[in-house]
Every structure is written in C-alpha cells, then in structure tokens.
Amino acid sequence: MKKKHIISGVLSLSLVLCMSVPAFAADVSTAGGSGAVPIPLTVAAATFSVTVPTSLPINVDTDGNVTTATNLKIVNNGHGAVKVTNMSVKGIEDWQIVSYDNANMVSEKVNAHKIAMAINGDKTTADDTITFSSTNFPKLDGANATNSDELTITYNAKVPAQATTLDNVKVVEITFVIGWDA
C-alpha cells in the first residue's frame, strides 16, 4: 500500500511541474538600461455560434395582400464579430424566382408558380438569383451584455393568384452564408 502512495505522489508532483509556466528574466546591468521581454500568447479558437431563422413565412390573403413575419433575426451567440457574406435563393419544386422590380403578379396567369422576394433591401433579379449588398447586412459583434448581437431580417414577396389554397408549401430555399468579420 505504501508503494502505491509513493507512486501517486511522484505522478502528482510530475503533473504539477509539467503544468507550470516558466518565468524568464532579462538582466539589466546599468542605470537607465532596458530589457526586452517577449510576451507569449496562447489563445483558444473562438466558438462560432450563429442562429439563423428556420423559415421566412409568407401569407397571401384572397386579395393578394402579402404579410411576412416581423420578428426574425440572425443572432451571433459567439465571441467575435461575424457577418453575412453572401445570400442565395433557389426555387423549390416547380416554383420560379422572378425579378422583384419587374414582377407584375396581377397580370400573371392564375396558379403560376412564380415568386419574387426582397430581403433586407436585396431583391431577386431572375431565376434563382438575388442581389447581395453587404451594407444591408452589417456585422454582428460578439456576444455582449445581453449575450447576443442580432440583425433583424425584413422581407417581402410577390406571388400571383392561386385558384386553390396553398398551406405551408415550401417554394423557396434561402441560404445565408455567414463568416468571421476578418
């Protein structure tokens, strides 16, 4: 039993010695002299943690009036500034993305599977394309006193009349590309 205590004591002492940080000294031998001292830095990689909305719901009433959510945000939960660096859109199934500025949905055929969108001021321009301006997506600083930094997502859509009710049909896939603000 005594041998076990000696071995555990030696192992504990070697761990303590391995974990200590060595201190170095710079010798200064004259009054007014100086000594350069390097400062070693060890930093663990920051955690990249950003939350994006899981959907951007669009509701169109019988008169064609569009309503969208007003509480959607991209949230930086990590330490370190991030930003949206790009965005893409893609029509799902047979839905076609069209130019937001040129869309005249009241003159489209009923049941046409077309949609035009604007997200934070950036607009769809043609089939599966959207403009992207980084000024519409400012950087999100790292977690602050409220433990997050948020960017509100504002969006709108144009959709032609549909003869039958569509309920929770997935028509567009939006991809937000987010990276460090390096």
Side-chain angles (χ1 to χ4, degrees):
M1 191 65 132
K2 192 172 187 180
K3 190 174 184 179
K4 214 183 241 186
H5 288 292
I6 291 172
I7 292 173
S8 64
V10 170
L11 288 174
S12 297
L13 181 61
S14 64
L15 280 173
V16 168
L17 292 175
C18 288
M19 293 173 42
S20 63
V21 177
F24 299 100
D27 290 328
V28 179
S29 58
T30 60
S34 64
V37 179
I39 300 174
L41 175 65
T42 303
V43 178
T47 301
F48 192 93
S49 176
V50 179
T51 304
V52 296
T54 56
S55 70
L56 278 66
I58 301 167
N59 293 306
V60 183
D61 69 15
T62 56
D63 294 324
N65 299 310
V66 174
T67 306
T68 59
T70 58
N71 60 345
L72 300 180
K73 298 175 183 187
I74 294 175
V75 180
N76 181 3
N77 303 302
H79 174 71
V82 300
K83 68 184 298 164
V84 177
T85 59
N86 205 349
M87 178 176 51
S88 63
V89 296
K90 178 182 169 189
I92 297 177
E93 298 293 328
D94 62 343
W95 283 81
Q96 179 186 5
I97 295 171
V98 297
S99 169
Y100 188 85
D101 287 336
N102 297 327
N104 182 6
M105 297 303 185
V106 296
S107 65
E108 288 289 340
K109 291 183 178 183
V110 172
N111 290 335
H113 286 181
K114 294 183 179 182
I115 185 167
M117 293 190 70
I119 303 170
N120 278 32
D122 289 323
K123 300 173 183 177
T124 56
T125 56
D127 192 30
D128 290 347
T129 59
I130 189 166
T131 61
F132 179 78
S133 173
S134 60
T135 57
N136 292 333
F137 295 88
K139 76 177 176 108
L140 299 167
D141 292 325
N144 53 32
T146 62
N147 289 329
S148 69
D149 194 14
E150 304 172 341
L151 171 66
T152 300
I153 301 298
T154 58
Y155 65 105
N156 200 0
K158 297 178 181 179
V159 181
Q162 302 295 309
T164 59
T165 300
L166 301 178
D167 188 25
N168 206 20
V169 175
K170 311 287 188 260
V171 296
V172 176
E173 181 178 274
I174 306 283
T175 302
F176 295 102
V177 180
I178 302 170
W180 293 113
D181 183 34

